[in-house]
Amino acid sequence: MAERSLRGMSIGAKSLESDDNVDFAARADVTYICPNGHRTILPFAEGAEAPAEWECRCGAVAHREGDGDDEANEITKPTRTHWDMLCERRSKTELKELLTKRLTMHHEGWIPDYG
């Protein structure tokens, strides 16, 4: 008897519908960029009005790509490298002296005592 018994199907486990003959709505991808440089691409229905701002995954407010002033956009600013910040604090002659001093200490086998 157990071999011929019908087994049930759990609710929500499988869909009995298929995607045959289904036309999806036309979509347009909208790109948002936050001040930290994260890009988020979201699909919106073609007729829908996409918002000008979107909350980024980092918590900052992202703006649509191509919208707004380029001067106000923080991403267009050139990034300051470590070398740029170092040159703001010291002259090149000071940097050469420090490099020579550190190389001499390295060649002499100086080991720092961190306690």
Side-chain angles (χ1 to χ4, degrees), residues 18-113:
S18 68
D19 291 338
D20 296 339
N21 300 324
V22 175
D23 293 328
F24 294 105
R27 297 181 183 189
D29 290 338
V30 179
T31 304
Y32 293 91
I33 301 177
C34 81
N36 297 329
H38 300 129
R39 292 177 66 105
T40 305
I41 301 172
L42 299 172
F44 285 95
E46 202 167 89
E49 184 178 334
E53 296 178 346
W54 193 265
E55 185 177 349
C56 181
R57 63 181 177 261
C58 66
V61 177
H63 297 281
R64 279 200 322 217
E65 185 176 43
D67 285 354
D69 299 330
D70 288 337
E71 295 84 21
N73 193 352
E74 294 181 28
I75 298 170
T76 59
K77 290 183 180 179
T79 56
R80 287 175 45 199
T81 63
H82 181 73
W83 176 252
D84 294 334
M85 291 184 271
L86 193 62
C87 289
E88 289 175 5
R89 290 178 295 185
R90 307 214 182 215
S91 67
K92 296 216 177 192
T93 55
E94 286 179 308
L95 291 172
K96 285 180 185 178
E97 290 172 9
L98 283 171
L99 179 63
T100 306
K101 179 181 173 185
R102 287 294 180 177
L103 286 174
T104 305
M105 292 168 64
H106 177 71
H107 290 301
E108 291 174 353
W110 182 79
I111 300 173
D113 182 20

Side-chain angles (χ1 to χ4, degrees), residues 1-16:
M1 177 87 175
E3 298 159 1
R4 297 186 320 165
S5 66
L6 295 175
R7 294 189 179 221
M9 186 174 175
S10 61
I11 297 175
K14 294 181 183 177
S15 174
L16 300 177

